[in-house]
Amino acid sequence: MPVLWLFLIVLAVAILGYLLGRARALSAAPEGRRGLHSLPVYYGANVALKVLVPALGILILWLLVQPFVIDRAVSGTIPDSDIAEGASRGLVMSEVARVADGVKAAVGAGTMPAAMAADPSPDLEAVTQALKDAGQVVTGDVTQTVFAAAQKYNAMAAQGGLYMTILVLLAAAAGCVMGLHEAKPDFRARNVVEKGIRALLIAAASIAILTTVGIVLSLIFNTVEFFRLYPASQFFFSLEWAPSFSGRGGASELGILPLLWGTLYISFVALAVAVPIGLFAAIYLSEYASPRLRAVAKPLLEVLAGIPTIVYGLFALLTVGPLLVSVFGDGGYLGVSWQGGGRAVMTAGLVMGIMLIPFVSSLSDDIINAVPQAMRDGSYGLGATQSETIKQVVLPAALPGIVGAILLAASRAIGETMIVVLGAGAAARLSLNPFEAMTTVTAKIVSQLTGDSDFASPEALVAFALGMSLFVITLGLNVVALAIVRKYREQYD
Amino acid sequence: MNDMRIIERGTLVNDIKISAKGVQVYYADNHAIKDVDVEIEDKTVTAFIGPSGCGKSTFLRCLNRMNDTIDICRVEGHIAIDGQDIYDPQVDPVQLRAKVGMVFQKPNPFPKSIYDNIAYGPRIHGLARNKAELDEIVEKSLRRGAIWDEVKDRLDAPGTSLSGGQQQRLCIARAVATEPEVLLMDEPCSALDPIATSQVEELIDELRQSFSVVIVTHSMQQAARVSQKTAFFHLGNLVEYGETGKIFTNPEDSRTESYITGRIG
């Protein structure tokens, strides 16, 4: 039975249980609603919970575990002699899984008779042809071993599916009966339901956290794998980034420093653009602008934050780059030839700065607004002008929050990819000239993983080490930001 | 009330510091102050009393043009300090506020050190030529704010680290530091406990030596304790204005009597 149907049946049982539970609770109370501990809906919800939680729990667990169990069992039946030279057991297993799926689909599509699918020693050419007719991807000829394994695979999957269906339905029914049995006036259904809701909230929160942990773990494992293939000292201290994809092994120079330098340089330019402009915009919006103007201007500014970064990248490539070249390039207005091409640190930095303006301004604006009016009144009452008040009272009071906003913007700048790819070029270079093309950690992660990459080579695995380094840097920034905000936060009430 | 004080008060006659004539205040369409005439004396504590929303705080904020910071507020009429119309276009409200200090309902120390809180006004107005002079002003102001002994060892501590009563005295010292001529206090004790309140009240009585003090208060006892003159506001009207002793013992208007005996308000 397809999982969707099973799920719908469980859901139907839950709804039925809800209605029955409510009705039963009502009829069990001799003096009506007042005699019940909880509102009738809670008795219904209790039944529904008792149906859904165990049944769906079993369903999900089974679906997660079954592939592993089958994989292991089937993989054990393949003799070592049938594994081709250079291939691994995993490779054969993935072919088995593909054939198993293919056979199922081919039988469903009618190109393969059911008898052939069950035949222990069929005509393998016919099988391959039938699979191809059904539109399945077949890499080579299906061998006898693979076909037998696929048959076992399908058989086990079908058996597992049957057991799962029975177990889930039993659990649903048992839950329903138990919930209905509990629907008595003195049962504290409300407390039970509220506990259930709390568990739901905890589950939602832990999914977010567990995902983060999972991401970090996958980064760590691959990073460790990379350092096994490539010396860490060279990764961290080499001044050169020159991966070679043709001559695999030994020929690549994978130093992070040029990339890190590019990242920090571009981020620095971006922040040098975004922080003053964003901060001044925030001060104007929160202190000087009339409410009417603010209501229009603030959302407009925030629209900048909604533009996809690839569009900024195009802007950098097509507009800002050529513009900069026409000023700083050979034969430009300034008569200097600092800039060779449109792609440069300056191009990417300027555009990224524009992208960051709304982050700085919008957050700072909220923070400045949160400074209590009493603070301003106190300053005005001493004969301070508006700008003195802002400079000496409002900004110091808002400073921790503003620093937090700036560090947040910095994290964004360091993690930005598309603008760099299009605006700063792809040359990894250690240079002080902001009009030269450079590249960043993120841009290189993309280029190392796109295309046909072999995940066992250091050239591809380096992406994880780069990602890990970036993660550590931004994490450090965020920790510092939080610490600053916490340390200097003034308590207003 | 205290008869001793009434006799004492009767002997005092001072110059007129602030004179208000026909003052009207509107918040958008709401007529908050209706035709108020009042003359406030120098070196005197004048109390504004009245039920909530009667306009006493609004009127107080007219005296240093703090209402200018509220967009929808409109002030009409004539208010003069030392004969100079403070709503004259030539008068800079910023300069005026240096002359007319204000202490607010809730203590609002700046997020700076105690020293910098006091030095804020003198620095803005250039009252000190060097650090030594500034130190002197800070110490003098803290002494006048009756808080010097408590904070002299920790002038670098943030102003917000003080207790509520200390914060309010710090704010008073801060207002005093700019050498104002008039000190406006908007319910300065409403956020304080009784001990802190009595300290601030003592301080107000001392400040009378140098300033004209106008205090808005909800507490009639406080008005009776600290003020020489009392004005009773009701629904935006100035109902009665006179010697504190007289207002509290023998009011002319029946509304005043109802208020001070607790029948309205």
Side-chain angles (χ1 to χ4, degrees), chain A residues 356-483:
Chain A
L356 292 178
I357 289 172
F359 282 90
V360 178
S361 77
S362 187
L363 280 173
S364 302
D365 176 63
D366 291 342
I367 291 155
I368 291 173
N369 265 326
V371 174
Q373 184 61 31
M375 219 46 89
R376 297 183 181 88
D377 283 349
S379 178
Y380 295 146
L382 290 171
T385 61
Q386 198 168 4
S387 75
E388 283 165 341
T389 303
I390 292 167
K391 221 160 48 202
Q392 305 200 22
V393 175
V394 176
L395 283 186
L399 195 64
I402 291 173
V403 170
I406 291 171
L407 288 180
L408 199 72
S411 302
R412 275 289 304 226
I414 289 172
E416 176 49 44
T417 314
M418 280 335 289
I419 295 176
V420 180
V421 169
L422 292 179
R429 186 178 284 151
L430 272 170
S431 161
L432 277 175
N433 182 358
F435 297 104
E436 238 174 289
M438 284 187 204
T439 193
T440 63
V441 176
T442 49
K444 278 301 155 195
I445 293 179
V446 173
S447 69
Q448 291 310 101
L449 292 186
T450 42
D452 194 12
S453 49
D454 169 12
F455 273 89
S457 71
E459 283 81 5
L461 282 173
V462 70
F464 294 100
L466 291 175
M468 192 71 207
S469 313
L470 211 56
F471 176 74
V472 169
I473 291 171
T474 44
L475 187 73
L477 264 184
N478 285 347
V479 169
V480 170
L482 275 181

Side-chain angles (χ1 to χ4, degrees), chain A residues 114-485:
Chain A
M116 190 200 277
D119 190 349
S121 53
D123 177 5
L124 288 172
E125 266 174 47
V127 168
T128 312
Q129 192 52 47
L131 286 177
K132 278 184 182 154
D133 288 347
Q136 294 300 314
V137 183
V138 183
T139 44
D141 283 341
V142 179
T143 63
Q144 177 61 41
T145 326
V146 168
F147 190 69
Q151 277 174 329
K152 186 165 164 57
Y153 192 100
N154 272 348
M156 279 187 77
Q159 205 173 20
L162 183 68
Y163 288 155
M164 179 183 77
T165 307
I166 292 170
L167 207 60
V168 167
L169 289 182
L170 273 179
C176 187
V177 169
M178 183 178 159
L180 284 175
H181 181 72
E182 281 174 344
K184 289 176 183 141
D186 57 350
F187 178 66
R188 301 184 179 181
R190 187 156 63 138
N191 307 24
V192 174
V193 171
E194 274 171 10
K195 262 186 207 143
I197 288 171
R198 197 175 63 182
L200 187 77
L201 299 179
I202 291 173
S206 32
I207 283 175
I209 294 167
L210 287 177
T211 314
T212 315
V213 173
I215 290 173
V216 173
L217 281 182
S218 87
L219 271 179
I220 288 177
F221 285 135
N222 286 299
T223 305
V224 168
E225 185 66 29
F226 168 70
F227 284 134
R228 209 171 285 152
L229 295 169
Y230 192 86
S233 62
Q234 220 164 330
F235 173 70
F236 285 115
F237 300 112
S238 166
L239 297 182
E240 216 173 319
W241 173 267
S244 82
F245 268 94
S246 47
R248 288 235 165 92
S252 297
E253 274 289 340
L254 301 171
I256 192 177
L257 285 179
L259 308 183
L260 214 52
W261 169 247
T263 302
L264 296 180
Y265 204 173
I266 292 174
S267 304
F268 173 77
V269 173
L271 288 178
V273 172
V275 169
I277 295 180
L279 200 55
F280 290 168
I283 291 171
Y284 173 71
L285 282 181
S286 60
E287 296 289 318
Y288 292 98
S290 68
R292 210 131 113 259
L293 182 67
R294 187 167 181 268
V296 177
K298 202 179 174 203
L300 275 181
L301 200 59
E302 281 165 358
V303 165
L304 274 182
I307 298 176
T309 55
I310 185 76
V311 176
Y312 281 109
L314 290 175
F315 179 59
L317 186 65
L318 297 178
T319 311
V320 178
L323 195 76
L324 284 175
V325 170
S326 73
V327 177
F328 297 102
D330 207 6
Y333 298 124
L334 290 184
V336 293
S337 58
W338 293 337
Q339 191 164 5
R343 298 188 173 192
V345 168
M346 211 55 179
T347 312
L350 283 178
V351 174
M352 206 192 280
I354 294 168
M355 178 196 82
L356 292 178
I357 289 172
F359 282 90
V360 178
S361 77
S362 187
L363 280 173
S364 302
D365 176 63
D366 291 342
I367 291 155
I368 291 173
N369 265 326
V371 174
Q373 184 61 31
M375 219 46 89
R376 297 183 181 88
D377 283 349
S379 178
Y380 295 146
L382 290 171
T385 61
Q386 198 168 4
S387 75
E388 283 165 341
T389 303
I390 292 167
K391 221 160 48 202
Q392 305 200 22
V393 175
V394 176
L395 283 186
L399 195 64
I402 291 173
V403 170
I406 291 171
L407 288 180
L408 199 72
S411 302
R412 275 289 304 226
I414 289 172
E416 176 49 44
T417 314
M418 280 335 289
I419 295 176
V420 180
V421 169
L422 292 179
R429 186 178 284 151
L430 272 170
S431 161
L432 277 175
N433 182 358
F435 297 104
E436 238 174 289
M438 284 187 204
T439 193
T440 63
V441 176
T442 49
K444 278 301 155 195
I445 293 179
V446 173
S447 69
Q448 291 310 101
L449 292 186
T450 42
D452 194 12
S453 49
D454 169 12
F455 273 89
S457 71
E459 283 81 5
L461 282 173
V462 70
F464 294 100
L466 291 175
M468 192 71 207
S469 313
L470 211 56
F471 176 74
V472 169
I473 291 171
T474 44
L475 187 73
L477 264 184
N478 285 347
V479 169
V480 170
L482 275 181
I484 289 176
V485 170

Side-chain angles (χ1 to χ4, degrees), chain A residues 290-291 373-386 388-390 392-393 396-397 490-493, chain B residues 61 64 66 69 71 94 97-98 100-102 104 106 108-112 120-121 124-125 158 160 174-175 178:
Chain A
S290 68
Q373 184 61 31
M375 219 46 89
R376 297 183 181 88
D377 283 349
S379 178
Y380 295 146
L382 290 171
T385 61
Q386 198 168 4
E388 283 165 341
T389 303
I390 292 167
Q392 305 200 22
V393 175
E490 294 285 335
Q491 293 296 337
Y492 307 117
D493 43 3
Chain B
R61 290 167 69 95
N64 68 345
M66 275 303 273
T69 61
D71 288 334
V94 170
R97 289 182 203 134
V100 184
M102 187 156 191
F104 296 84
K106 247 179 62 184
N108 56 350
F110 299 138
K112 298 167 176 287
Y120 184 75
I124 284 177
H125 301 296
T160 43
R174 187 175 70 186
T178 51

